Amino acid sequence: MEFKIIPQPSEITVFSSESAFFFSDETQISCPDEFSRALDDLVLFSQKVFSINLLGGGKEKIVFSKSDEIKNKEGYKISVKNNNIFIFASDGAGAFYAVQTLKQLLLQGKNNLPEMEIFDLPQCAWRGFMLDSARYFFSVEAVKLFLDSMALHKLNCFHWHLTDDQGWRIELYNKLLLAQIGSHRSCTNFGKTPHEGYYSKEDIEEIVSYASEKYISIIPEIDSPGHVVSAIAAYPELSCFNRELEVETKWGIKNDVLCVGKEETYDFMFEILDEICEMFPSKIIHIGGDEVPTVRWKLCPHCQKKMKELGFENESQLHGYYLSRIASYLEKKGFLVIMWDSKNLDHSVSKSVIRQFWSSDEAGKIESRGDFKLINSSTDAFYLDYPYGHTNLKKCYEAEINLYSDNCLGGEACLWTEYVPSMKKAGYCLFPRLAAFSERVWCKRENLSYENFVSKIPQYKKLLDTLPFDYASMKQAMPSFFRKHCYNLWFERRRLHWGSLHNTIDNFKVKKLSKKEKTND
Ligand code: ACM
Ligand code: ZN
């Protein structure tokens, strides 16, 4: 029989068609303590999906063993023969990924497996998924479901976009108003309904622990100096001209950003970052840094004074200076720092900061910047909230990971949620594209075949049915010419209408306001 595993393992060999192992309540297990997370995951899945309680007593055995022959920590070997499944790994992560593969084998073999062998290891160290909890708040249970789906796809880095203009979603004892005020949005873009929610300390602890059971690191993102209207709503003194603002109701790039001329802004940020660092054990933090209009800085006496002191000629240098200070503060605490690649940013931010690139215009610039470490979140392929008319399944599958640099750590699929206000829509956007993405970041290049991938989709959907997610049909994921253009028209109409038009009007108003305030200052 042919097994159809996603992501495709490096090598899979089936030696015979006869059953060599039958999975049942009586299957015995042997597992070293350090692989207990892998075993727990198998036990839970067996109960939930096969109604099998592993009580032992039979002749079949699943034997987990530590083997230093498996060099990659996330790699594993599975060998099925003579009523045994042997699982070899050098680390718990590898054993855990072996279990993810075993789930698919057992589902497809209907609990029977022939004599077979699988060797497997990932190609990319960074296999990320980003969830925007700022534009749309997902409950703790919903976040756990995203983590479950990441584990099934052998993804290992959960980038959590926790703050943005439209919402501050994390409770901080140092600055209580951030969550108390910043998490309430009076009206959303489309639903025109109020929206709110934030994660308490206990929620974060619960999610961090849940992710760690699945070998997933959580990378919190505290986005600044742009995308901070929700923070300014709570603490107006963070902005130039101490603006009294409401948590943003519309989407798009906002002119009100942090006042980086005031020293108090840095003190504020360091204080909140201290607290964030204590909450997330991954020791990796994302500082955002993208989409920072400078209209305020150009008019603000504090920002202009700072530029003069530092001998800067343009606001882009000020942007670089701010991010450098934030990054080096975190690096001194032993954190690895990531930022979005950002338009017009000068070269001052340290090379040790990883750049996550998204827009193809910007990536071109990175190339000329040389040897930064990169994460690929190309909008063309890995922004999974984009309509299938823009990014169909094949485009996502065939995207190049090592764009622009040999220093690419891997890829990250992003789910921005301004237009994803439900789990139903999230499922539709993510699946099956997350499968294509997972194969792209896990598989050896020579094993990538879109035709083979598509042939695996029916079996893959049975795997997905073990989670309560919706997914797009193949017709939706690969829209016809007509449907493609309908989707695009709808998408562009929304972007044009709400993004560009709203921002143009807003820019005009802000310029007038700033002039008035400057005269009053
Ligand atoms: C981004 O899409 N602005 C990271
Ligand atoms: Zn300022």
Side-chain angles (χ1 to χ4, degrees):
M1 106 167 251
E2 194 187 356
F3 289 94
K4 297 191 174 277
I5 311 298
I6 289 181
Q8 184 66 33
S10 306
E11 287 173 38
I12 173 163
T13 318
V14 178
F15 297 108
S16 105
S17 56
E18 280 165 36
S19 174
F21 179 90
F22 178 67
F23 191 50
S24 73
D25 289 319
E26 293 179 7
T27 299
Q28 299 184 53
I29 303 275
S30 139
C31 181
D33 283 350
E34 62 189 294
F35 292 177
S36 66
R37 286 180 259 177
L39 174 58
D40 291 349
D41 193 56
L42 177 64
V43 169
L44 267 180
F45 189 84
S46 306
Q47 283 167 343
K48 186 177 142 198
V49 177
F50 303 119
S51 303
I52 283 178
N53 295 301
L54 291 161
L55 305 171
K59 61 180 192 297
E60 284 89 1
K61 239 183 176 178
I62 300 179
V63 182
F64 289 85
S65 311
K66 189 169 160 72
S67 161
D68 292 332
E69 277 172 36
I70 311 286
K71 298 292 176 223
N72 187 304
K73 280 187 159 194
E74 298 184 308
Y76 63 88
K77 176 180 164 184
I78 297 176
S79 170
V80 184
K81 61 179 170 201
N82 304 332
N83 303 316
N84 294 305
I85 298 178
F86 297 104
I87 293 176
F88 301 97
S90 58
D91 187 274
F96 185 80
Y97 294 135
V99 165
Q100 306 318 309
T101 298
L102 187 56
K103 289 175 183 176
Q104 298 186 51
L105 295 175
L106 291 169
L107 270 174
Q108 290 174 36
K110 302 201 167 43
N111 295 355
N112 276 294
L113 298 183
E115 190 173 333
M116 66 187 299
E117 227 168 46
I118 295 181
F119 293 96
D120 200 9
L121 79 171
Q123 299 306 299
C124 296
W126 193 280
R127 304 183 303 281
F129 168 64
M130 189 217 75
L131 179 67
D132 172 7
S133 278
R135 272 52 173 270
Y136 182 75
F137 177 76
F138 293 91
S139 68
V140 171
E141 289 316 307
V143 174
K144 287 184 179 174
L145 285 175
F146 286 112
L147 294 169
D148 291 340
S149 76
M150 283 182 70
L152 276 188
H153 293 81
K154 303 189 174 92
L155 305 182
N156 60 359
C157 295
F158 177 56
H159 168 182
W160 203 1
H161 187 75
L162 285 164
T163 67
D164 214 304
D165 297 311
Q166 296 80 5
W168 187 281
R169 306 283 175 218
I170 181 166
E171 176 182 52
L172 296 176
Y173 291 161
N174 274 334
K175 303 286 175 197
L176 284 169
L177 299 185
L178 284 171
Q180 284 172 8
I181 293 177
S183 67
H184 300 267
R185 182 177 176 185
S186 66
C187 141
T188 56
N189 254 354
F190 290 99
K192 301 282 176 212
T193 48
H195 187 68
E196 64 180 17
Y198 65 84
Y199 305 101
S200 68
K201 291 268 175 192
E202 294 72 32
D203 292 340
I204 299 281
E205 216 171 287
E206 189 177 333
I207 289 170
V208 164
S209 147
Y210 193 81
S212 131
E213 290 299 308
K214 295 170 189 298
Y215 291 90
I216 294 172
S217 302
I218 301 194
I219 297 98
E221 179 185 348
I222 304 297
D223 198 351
S224 75
H227 291 279
V228 288
V229 171
S230 62
I232 295 174
Y235 295 96
E237 64 273 25
L238 288 172
S239 64
C240 299
F241 308 106
N242 299 340
R243 304 263 292 143
E244 303 272 345
L245 302 172
E246 302 224 316
V247 174
E248 188 53 59
T249 55
K250 301 274 192 312
W251 201 34
I253 299 167
K254 305 298 157 193
N255 290 318
D256 286 294
V257 301
L258 293 185
C259 176
V260 298
K262 296 186 237 183
E263 273 306 301
E264 293 83 348
T265 302
Y266 298 86
D267 297 340
F268 186 102
M269 287 306 294
F270 295 154
E271 230 180 297
I272 67 171
L273 290 171
D274 284 344
E275 196 170 335
I276 295 279
C277 288
E278 304 243 312
M279 295 163 82
F280 293 94
S282 69
K283 296 233 160 219
I284 312 176
I285 196 155
H286 200 301
I287 61 171
D290 59 323
E291 297 177 327
V292 186
T294 54
V295 291
R296 293 305 208 189
W297 295 352
K298 283 194 166 87
L299 299 164
C300 169
H302 300 286
C303 289
Q304 289 304 311
K305 183 160 171 263
K306 180 72 96 192
M307 280 179 60
K308 211 162 161 191
E309 278 167 16
L310 295 165
F312 292 162
E313 285 160 10
N314 57 55
E315 283 71 20
S316 147
Q317 289 172 293
L318 194 59
H319 183 189
Y321 168 80
Y322 170 82
L323 289 176
S324 296
R325 265 183 83 174
I326 297 292
S328 75
Y329 184 79
L330 291 163
E331 286 182 339
K332 281 195 193 114
K333 289 165 85 78
F335 274 69
L336 185 66
V337 180
I338 307 175
M339 62 181 226
W340 294 111
D341 186 54
S342 188
K343 215 176 202 156
N344 300 330
L345 185 65
D346 78 342
H347 294 231
S348 63
V349 183
S350 152
K351 284 215 160 62
S352 52
V353 175
I354 297 167
R355 265 64 167 176
Q356 182 169 8
F357 70 88
W358 47 291
S359 110
S360 21
D361 310 349
E362 295 310 304
K365 279 209 262 159
I366 299 178
E367 187 178 24
S368 63
R369 286 186 203 158
D371 54 355
F372 298 115
K373 287 208 171 70
L374 302 177
I375 295 169
N376 181 342
S377 284
S378 152
T379 50
D380 280 345
F382 301 149
Y383 268 30
L384 301 190
D385 51 298
Y386 275 26
Y388 284 96
H390 180 280
T391 304
N392 67 28
L393 188 62
K394 189 163 192 257
K395 195 168 171 191
C396 177
Y397 190 87
E398 293 186 339
E400 192 58 64
I401 292 285
N402 281 325
L403 277 176
Y404 313 113
S405 165
D406 291 336
N407 280 335
C408 204
L409 303 176
E412 189 171 293
C414 297
L415 189 73
W416 298 100
T417 57
E418 191 65 10
Y419 302 119
V420 185
S422 64
M423 285 302 271
K424 190 173 170 61
K425 178 80 189 285
Y428 169 81
C429 288
L430 286 180
F431 310 111
R433 277 188 296 203
L434 200 68
F437 170 77
S438 77
E439 197 146 306
R440 194 65 199 75
V441 286
W442 180 276
C443 276
K444 270 193 199 160
R445 173 176 275 280
E446 56 267 36
N447 279 349
L448 287 171
S449 151
Y450 179 68
E451 285 66 37
N452 181 44
F453 172 73
V454 169
S455 79
K456 297 189 285 191
I457 295 278
Q459 297 290 1
Y460 168 73
K461 287 192 168 164
K462 289 189 187 142
L463 176 71
L464 263 189
D465 283 340
T466 65
L467 293 176
F469 277 108
D470 277 39
Y471 41 78
S473 67
M474 275 307 279
K475 214 166 160 184
Q476 290 165 324
M478 288 299 290
S480 64
F481 183 83
F482 175 71
R483 286 168 74 112
K484 172 181 154 134
H485 288 287
C486 286
Y487 285 152
N488 282 346
L489 205 66
W490 167 234
F491 181 59
E492 289 307 326
R493 191 186 74 81
R494 290 191 310 193
R495 276 164 37 116
L496 273 177
H497 185 60
W498 291 106
S500 314
L501 186 62
H502 174 73
N503 277 346
T504 309
I505 296 168
D506 192 52
N507 280 352
F508 184 65
K509 284 194 208 153
V510 165
K511 272 185 192 154
K512 267 177 54 177
L513 261 173
S514 302
K515 254 190 202 152
K516 201 164 121 222
E517 280 170 356
K518 200 179 174 200
T519 331
N520 293 342
D521 203 58

